[in-house]
Amino acid sequence: MGITDPGTYVRGVPYAELARLRRESPVVRVDDFWAVLRHADARRVLRDPGLFSSQLGGTQIRDPATSADLAYVRRMMLNMDPPEHGRLRGLLTKAFTPRAVAKLTSQIESWARDLVAAVADRGSCDFAAVAADLPLVTLAGVFGVPEQDRRLMYDWSNRVIGYQDAEYAVSATVDASSVSELARAALAVRPAPGPDGSMPDPRTRAGMPDLYAYANALGEHKRSHPGDDVMSNLMRHRDRVSLAEFENLFWLFSVAGNETLRNGLPGGLLALLSHPAQYQRLLADRSLLPSAVEEMLRWWTPVMHFRRTATADVRLSGVDIRAGDKVVVWFSAANRDPEVFEEPDVFDIGRTPNDHLTFGHGPHFCLGAHLARVQLRAMFGAVLDLLGEVSLAGEPVRLRSNFQNGLKSLPIRWTR
């Protein structure tokens, strides 16, 4: 099994194979693309959209099936190049006002504490399930989504990110009787699995009609009834986004903003559980929490790669790349590059500096990086305060995906 086989990742990220490939060549041919495995080369690709485009072929290894599908994904900010990307990103950055971010930060800390407190007396839980709620309530806060509707984003992200996983591809956990009218109308157009159990491609508009129905109705509501959330700020800005742009931002945040944290949180805890001495060190010295979070982000690396397409012939670390070639930055390899990280396979919660690329680099650096860090610090602070030292209570279950380094289940126990 190779580094692109989703089945490989059910057992774990193939770090040894990635290191072997990087030793052979920092830019190596895999299947129909160039894998960029060194930290320096990854930075170069990510900061130069003129030479390495997000828009030409999108940002996934898998090509969109049709030209119409490609045109559709190009409308998302993730798959834009300058100047369109800069305009939309600039508007979104302005919508994350200091007041809105401060409000979210204080809410995140109380939400994290409430989630952990709710299970503290049980002595055990599935941490992946508990952690999944924090990015959902955070995103609901960003969008002003009614609290009872937040579970919709859980299913949507499962379907998009987990399309290679038979369980996640058909995710449907929402009870229609417990959500808003807006959500019930969206659920009415949710596609059903075909005779073979498969769902339509979630990267197409036709594959996610329920998400788009909800986004459209929510965008209309924000425009006429703005609140004090980030997306209301965006919709009432004088250069406000169109409804179509709002829909695509909703897709991006619902999926990318949710799934990365949902996997980063249990992934970070599994890193601590796998290194008990580091766990004890963190329990004894809480001042290490910020650097511990950075090391979790480097060590676990939730998003394993992103694609670009070469716009012209270019030479990268001595390798000739032709115009039109797929160029895939492999974050899981770059974050363990021995040229940048001393003893890269050692999990060290005090590691500094820690120049990981988990949030990307250059013009597409993750807009939600600050809120992601706040969520990680809040959740682990709550675990340390309320649960103390926890241990594995069963075998972790990994997501079948070559894109997201995911945990579907992380059973833990504790005694307090």
Side-chain angles (χ1 to χ4, degrees):
M1 287 186 175
I3 64 168
T4 56
D5 186 332
T8 298
Y9 296 85
V10 175
R11 293 188 302 280
V13 179
Y15 291 114
E17 176 64 5
L18 289 167
R20 183 190 70 77
L21 289 171
R22 188 178 53 231
R23 284 192 300 272
E24 283 183 8
S25 173
V27 180
V28 64
R29 192 72 180 176
V30 177
D31 300 340
D32 65 343
F33 64 87
W34 296 103
V36 177
L37 305 171
R38 277 178 67 228
H39 191 279
D41 292 327
R43 283 170 61 98
R44 183 186 167 194
V45 169
L46 294 170
R47 70 170 174 258
D48 190 351
L51 260 181
F52 301 99
S53 167
S54 299
Q55 191 153 25
L56 273 181
T59 49
Q60 299 292 299
I61 292 176
R62 189 173 56 131
D63 288 318
T66 67
S67 57
D69 290 346
L70 176 58
Y72 158 75
V73 300
R74 281 175 170 168
R75 289 168 43 195
M76 292 186 184
M77 191 169 71
L78 187 69
N79 304 309
M80 287 179 178
D81 291 333
E84 294 87 352
H85 173 259
R87 173 193 156 266
L88 202 50
R89 187 180 174 100
L91 286 172
L92 205 48
T93 302
K94 286 175 189 164
F96 277 94
T97 62
R99 182 176 167 218
V101 171
K103 181 186 171 195
L104 279 167
T105 299
S106 65
Q107 287 177 324
I108 286 166
E109 287 162 359
S110 63
W111 287 331
R113 205 164 187 85
D114 289 348
L115 287 169
V116 177
V119 298
D121 292 339
R122 293 188 205 162
S124 67
C125 73
D126 183 346
F127 186 71
V130 172
D133 247 357
L134 187 58
L136 292 178
V137 292
T138 302
L139 283 167
V142 168
F143 277 101
V145 166
E147 189 178 331
Q148 71 265 35
D149 292 354
R150 70 177 189 266
R151 196 76 186 173
L152 289 167
M153 292 186 284
Y154 176 86
D155 286 337
W156 290 331
S157 62
N158 275 1
R159 281 159 54 196
V160 174
I161 297 297
Y163 75 93
Q164 295 169 320
D165 186 287
E167 178 190 357
Y168 272 24
V170 296
S171 184
T173 64
V174 174
D175 175 3
S177 67
S178 64
V179 293
S180 71
E181 279 186 42
L182 220 67
R184 279 196 291 277
L187 287 171
V189 296
R190 182 187 186 276
D196 61 350
S198 66
M199 293 282 279
D201 186 347
R203 292 191 313 161
T204 64
R205 192 179 179 89
M208 302 293 291
D210 44 340
L211 182 150
Y212 283 101
Y214 191 89
N216 190 281
L218 183 68
E220 285 279 21
H221 183 75
K222 293 282 157 204
R223 189 163 274 179
S224 52
H225 304 89
D228 60 356
D229 54 89
V230 172
M231 288 300 150
S232 289
N233 294 342
L234 185 69
M235 294 303 276
R236 65 170 157 240
H237 192 276
R238 60 184 174 81
D239 299 319
R240 65 187 183 178
V241 301
S242 67
L243 265 180
E245 288 171 328
F246 179 85
E247 288 177 11
N248 286 327
L249 287 172
F250 186 84
W251 186 100
L252 181 64
F253 274 67
S254 294
V255 175
N258 175 14
E259 199 66 22
T260 303
L261 256 293
R262 191 170 131 204
N263 291 318
L265 286 162
L269 184 58
L270 184 56
L272 284 175
L273 294 173
S274 306
H275 300 85
Q278 295 296 309
Y279 200 146
Q280 290 289 344
R281 187 180 170 200
L282 184 57
L283 272 169
D285 183 0
R286 296 300 177 80
S287 71
L288 287 167
L289 186 55
S291 62
V293 161
E294 297 308 310
E295 182 69 340
M296 291 171 190
L297 287 163
R298 181 192 77 86
W299 179 264
W300 187 258
T301 309
V303 176
M304 294 186 281
H305 55 73
F306 265 127
R307 168 197 173 174
R308 299 293 188 262
T309 303
T311 62
D313 293 355
V314 60
R315 196 166 176 79
L316 192 63
S317 276
V319 175
D320 289 318
I321 293 169
R322 310 291 303 212
D325 282 0
K326 295 182 192 181
V327 179
V328 179
V329 171
W330 219 276
F331 298 111
S332 303
N335 278 349
R336 296 202 182 193
D337 184 345
E339 291 181 19
V340 175
F341 303 99
E342 190 177 340
E343 295 188 291
D345 295 318
V346 170
F347 180 72
D348 174 10
I349 63 167
R351 184 183 293 275
T352 180
N354 194 340
D355 189 21
H356 63 76
L357 296 175
T358 296
F359 293 120
H361 179 68
H364 281 276
F365 181 82
C366 177
L367 260 172
H370 171 72
L371 286 180
R373 289 180 163 114
V374 169
Q375 289 176 76
L376 283 155
R377 289 195 292 264
M379 180 60 85
F380 285 102
V383 168
L384 294 168
D385 285 346
L386 302 176
L387 307 184
E389 187 169 7
V390 309
S391 58
L392 272 178
E395 203 59 39
V397 180
R398 297 181 57 93
L399 178 67
R400 185 181 186 274
S401 171
N402 63 12
F403 177 63
Q404 274 277 346
N405 185 16
L407 276 175
K408 294 162 67 172
S409 177
L410 182 64
I412 60 171
R413 67 167 72 94
W414 58 90
T415 53
R416 286 298 288 218

